[in-house]
Amino acid sequence: MPHSLTTRPLSRTNDFVVKFANVNGSGSASANGMFAKSILRMGVPVAARNIFPSNIQGLPTWYEVRISEAGHLGRRGGVDLMVAMNPQTWDRDVAEIEPGGYLFYDSTKPMPPSKFRPDITVIGVRLTQICNAAYTDPRQRQLMKNIIYVGALSALLDIDPAVLETLLGEQFKSKARLIAANIEALNLGRDYVRQNLEPIGLKVRHADKVGDRIYVDGNTAAGLGAVYGGATVCAWYPITPSTSVAEAFTDFCHDYRIDPETGKARYAIVQAEDEIASIGIVVGAGWNGARAFTCTSGPGVSLMQEFIGLSYFAEIPAVIIDVQRGGPSTGMPTRTQQADLISAAYASHGDTKHPMLFPQDPGESFEMAALAFDLADRLQTTIFLMLDLDIGMNDWLTAPFEWDDKRQLDRGKVMTYEELEAGKDFGRYLDVDGDGVPYRTYPGVHPSRGAYFTRGTSRNPYARYSEEGGVYVDNVQRLLRKFETAKSLIPSPVLKAASRASKTGVIYFGSTTPAMNEALEVLEAQGSGIDALRVRGFPFADQVYDFIAAHERVFVVEQNRDAQLRTLIVNEGGVDPAKLPSVLHFDGTPITARFIVSEIGRQLGVSARVSVKEATQ
Amino acid sequence: MTYIAKPRLHHPNLTPNALGFTRRDYEGAVSTLCAGCGHDSISAAVIQACFELDLAPHRIAKLSGIGCSSKTPDYFLGASHGFNSVHGRMPSVLTGANLANRDLLYLGVSGDGDSASIGFGQFAHSIRRGVNMTYIVENNGVYGLTKGQFSATSDRGSKSKKGVINHDTPIDLVSVALQLGATFVARSFSGDKAQLVPLVKAALRHRGAAFIDCLSPCIQFNNHAGSTKSFDYVREHNEAVNRLDVVTPRDPIHIDHEPGTTQVVTQHDGSVLALHKLGDHYDPSDRVGAMTYLAQKQALGEIVTGLLYVDPAAEDLHDALGTVDAPLNSLNTAELTPGAARLQALNASLR
């Protein structure tokens, strides 16, 4: 085993990054998940991220576990311990290890010394040999190899074996034989380490930093939020990374939405033939008074454009959960980005714009999913809930789900049979209250009043046919008033002020939040703390523009190439773009704290030099 | 023109139906289609069918896509909610509306461009799912609103008004509907009201996907010599397999039939369809037989009309999904929101 160390081995407790390099379809995901959860159960916060291919079997896949007693849940950048189980990616995996870091590999077959690095510690475990000696069935050899390496790692890192055994018990429930077999495999790995290897500098120690938080992915949370938000119709078409939203909604409906007396369903879920039909079903259901949603990703939003415009002009409630990914259709479906902001905000033809919600994590994905249905009804338009793959498909440590039992579904302005019967004036597109939001009726409500013929535009406030220019202008101006009303309903931005007054600010949103939080701490520790504003939706609240006005320069950090949030801010608020330098991360992996700190630092440094130069001229 | 209001003054002796509505109560705005358009005859048939069935107009939802045919829902059932949606996408909008409230009757109106071209997929999938609806295609073989392009139902070899010969194979929506599992399939002709009205009535009373392909000549762009969708051509080649009487459960059931010539079908809601056979032996309960018969007659250039297939015991999409009897849009917060206690248990399982 090559062991020529030129750098001191890393020594860290409850603060390091482990990355597993696997082949997809090899059963590694559940073993890796158990590894992460065991640390969580020891009271130490973890953030785990899958970096996986658009494939079922045979391509490289990674699982990165950030262990952080301090509670940093973003990606840090860099790897302290690489579990290199995939020969295809060996070279790049080894190259990614931090100086002084560790490489864990299957040492059954000898590797040439050139395949290692002098500045890392190499940990060889004869996994294949152990497996082949213990098991005869090829599939069992494959699956148990994963458990054996978890056992070996647990011994190296001091992970409590009792916690792992509990987790296996939960996973296999009453299947005692499977539990015993897996515990045996764990011990094969643990025993090998104890008998053959020296302790390493990375350790996990019991702590109490997890609290009452839960560990769940954003798509599950959004599906649950749709149940709590009262959605009864879901129409969807499979597309990574949004598919599991519909699957979660289906599962939760099975659990929570069956009529106890009849056994019948208080919901209808249709897997449609495409995204156009999905949004068509949603619009039809919304028109008819049901709460309806679809879940999709960028390519699906592209296909839905015509209907989104109809929803805007005909004023029909709809909710679209967009789990963003790398574009385009044959793009990077399994990689994360925040790159659908502009296509969602201004979706469709004609003058259109649509409210969006930006959850920071699964906890907010739940809350905002439920909120989206109230907003759709109140504003009678399409509401976008903008998740991304990082939030949607990774398990996050997040606030527990909460619900106020006094909360009632807000169905917005719906004129009832009684109101119509009493002779209340009904004009489907009449701005009665001055907030741009008209009243609507559900089809079938009254024998002789309240019926109207739904069209996009070309009708007057009473929904009667008209192609008059003035009528059109009045109508679309009213839609702008409605968009103003939306501002007051979108969750307010969240301010994090620096410890000392700062002339520099930063704006960010969504899954960037945990990395941003850590970056802010680092900047603060470096003595260059900046004020931060987390934007939670579109249209932007006045606070966003007040924040920009109150600072000399405001960085906008986002995970796309074209600075889409910044474009929206500039476009909607008339801000001087020069005031808003960008920090952009868009390689498909989640943004890291290191990246943010170095980019902001670089740009602050660059401008500092410029100002020095200017001063000397 | 729709902005010209119809006179509200009605003849005092108009006969009301069982609900007290007169025919006028089933009418809509004044049609803006060309004088003599086949579509207006279909609108009149819908009005008559709904009046005769004693349907409450406001309990019908009428949905359409885009095109001349899709404009027609404005011209009937003025007391019903209507939705002129997106080109070719009426089926999905209707599906969603139906899921939201299973208690209304859904009438989808479409055209051959709307359903056989841009919306062919949605037509197919709504039929496959068995959405409880009456789906009428007002089929004129031409794009009227954009002035005379061939549609996908235009026959091969037929001639456009500009003299172009159509090369492409036509889509026969009736055959496709049969293959996709529609549980009520009919073809009719806008010029044959006696045939069309009972078919619309039977379709409205059918539970499941009821499809009517109604040939409806375009007086402006497809009514010339060389067209196979002209009034003259359809009249000459119309081959009706049966004549239909619809008897609703409310009426005393008295069917005048001679053994061997009339087939009686009782639909799910108790409505009785009396099918008087014409010409060949034809069995509308035999899906495969219907498809074969249609293919044979089509090869001879004949246009088969009548009630071509009906499954009186059909199930619909709500049956398949097992949804509650109450309309989904009527469920309240308590019925939809599981509450805080459930979340505590769920949170515990996620730690």
Side-chain angles (χ1 to χ4, degrees), chain B:
Chain B
M1 296 287 136
T2 44
Y3 50 81
I4 303 173
K6 272 193 179 178
R8 308 279 300 175
L9 192 66
H10 294 167
H11 193 282
N13 295 335
L14 281 174
T15 326
N17 63 12
L19 295 181
F21 291 115
T22 69
R23 262 188 61 109
R24 288 273 190 267
D25 295 313
Y26 293 85
E27 292 178 353
V30 178
S31 171
T32 61
L33 299 175
C34 310
C37 177
H39 296 356
D40 284 332
S41 307
I42 301 173
S43 295
V46 169
I47 290 166
Q48 189 177 335
C50 294
F51 169 73
E52 290 179 5
L53 284 176
D54 305 320
L55 300 176
H58 74 294
R59 302 301 291 172
I60 303 168
K62 43 184 190 170
L63 299 101
S64 60
I66 298 289
C68 290
S69 56
S70 290
K71 292 171 80 167
T72 65
D74 201 17
Y75 315 143
F76 55 79
L77 298 174
S80 307
H81 275 70
F83 196 161
N84 196 174
S85 67
V86 176
H87 198 19
R89 316 299 177 203
M90 174 277 286
S92 65
V93 178
L94 189 152
T95 301
N98 183 298
L99 291 175
N101 184 357
R102 61 188 303 173
D103 282 356
L104 302 184
L105 280 178
Y106 293 90
L107 176 59
V109 178
S110 181
D112 40 308
D114 206 50
S115 279
S117 290
I118 188 169
F120 193 42
Q122 295 218 336
F123 159 77
H125 289 278
S126 65
I127 299 278
R128 276 181 65 228
R129 291 190 186 104
V131 178
N132 189 5
M133 62 180 171
T134 297
Y135 188 138
I136 301 176
V137 167
E138 304 186 345
N139 184 356
N140 58 16
V142 76
Y143 284 82
L145 211 48
T146 51
K147 303 192 174 175
Q149 301 79 15
F150 283 121
S151 85
T153 64
S154 302
D155 287 306
R156 193 168 197 167
S158 66
K159 196 162 81 176
S160 78
K161 195 176 182 184
K162 287 181 181 166
V164 180
I165 303 296
N166 181 39
H167 169 268
D168 300 346
T169 305
I171 291 173
D172 178 31
L173 291 171
V174 157
S175 302
V176 177
L178 281 168
Q179 189 175 17
L180 292 169
T183 48
F184 181 109
V185 181
R187 177 149 46 212
S188 190
F189 172 40
S190 64
D192 187 354
K193 200 170 173 182
Q195 183 192 45
L196 179 58
V197 172
L199 287 174
V200 174
K201 286 165 75 174
L204 286 166
R205 298 304 298 250
H206 178 75
R207 182 167 79 171
F211 175 68
I212 302 175
D213 176 25
C214 190
L215 294 164
S216 176
C218 175
I219 205 87
Q220 280 288 358
F221 298 107
N222 209 9
N223 198 32
H224 47 270
S227 157
T228 59
K229 297 279 192 290
S230 65
F231 278 109
D232 288 347
Y233 188 93
V234 176
R235 279 202 189 96
E236 281 160 23
H237 296 80
N238 190 344
E239 198 59 48
V241 294
N242 46 35
R243 280 274 164 201
L244 175 66
D245 281 324
V246 180
V247 187
T248 55
R250 180 161 38 241
D251 304 328
I253 295 183
H254 173 76
I255 298 158
D256 203 12
H257 66 91
E258 297 162 42
T261 62
T262 299
Q263 195 172 350
V264 176
V265 177
T266 306
Q267 296 206 101
H268 191 271
D269 68 344
S271 58
V272 175
L273 312 182
L275 288 148
H276 310 293
K277 289 177 185 170
L278 304 169
D280 293 343
H281 174 76
Y282 185 85
D283 178 6
S285 65
D286 177 0
R287 184 187 295 276
V288 176
M291 289 163 71
T292 309
Y293 185 85
L294 278 169
Q296 286 167 346
K297 292 291 179 181
Q298 216 159 295
L300 299 172
E302 292 175 8
I303 302 167
V304 179
T305 60
L307 178 51
L308 305 173
Y309 177 74
V310 62
D311 172 3
E315 294 200 327
D316 82 334
L317 179 59
H318 279 280
D319 294 319
L321 295 173
T323 43
V324 288
D325 297 340
L328 292 177
N329 71 355
S330 72
L331 301 180
N332 61 32
T333 303
E335 289 164 311
L336 296 177
T337 301
R342 300 268 199 168
L343 286 183
Q344 283 183 12
L346 182 63
N347 286 333
S349 73
L350 296 170
R351 290 187 174 119

Side-chain angles (χ1 to χ4, degrees), chain A residues 338-349:
Chain A
Q338 300 173 318
D340 294 346
L341 293 199
I342 289 176
S343 70
Y346 301 131
S348 204
H349 47 275

Side-chain angles (χ1 to χ4, degrees), chain A residues 323-392:
Chain A
V323 188
Q324 299 168 88
R325 63 183 221 188
S329 300
T330 49
M332 301 215 292
T334 60
R335 305 299 151 106
T336 195
Q337 273 184 4
Q338 300 173 318
D340 294 346
L341 293 199
I342 289 176
S343 70
Y346 301 131
S348 204
H349 47 275
D351 291 321
T352 56
K353 36 190 172 181
H354 318 285
M356 299 188 285
L357 300 170
F358 306 139
Q360 64 167 343
D361 62 8
E364 274 194 355
S365 299
F366 168 73
E367 288 167 19
M368 288 184 176
L371 173 66
F373 292 94
D374 278 355
L375 292 181
D377 272 349
R378 287 182 72 169
L379 294 165
Q380 298 174 22
T381 195
T382 294
I383 306 291
F384 281 95
L385 177 65
M386 306 296 284
L387 271 70
D388 60 23
L389 183 141
D390 186 20
I391 296 177

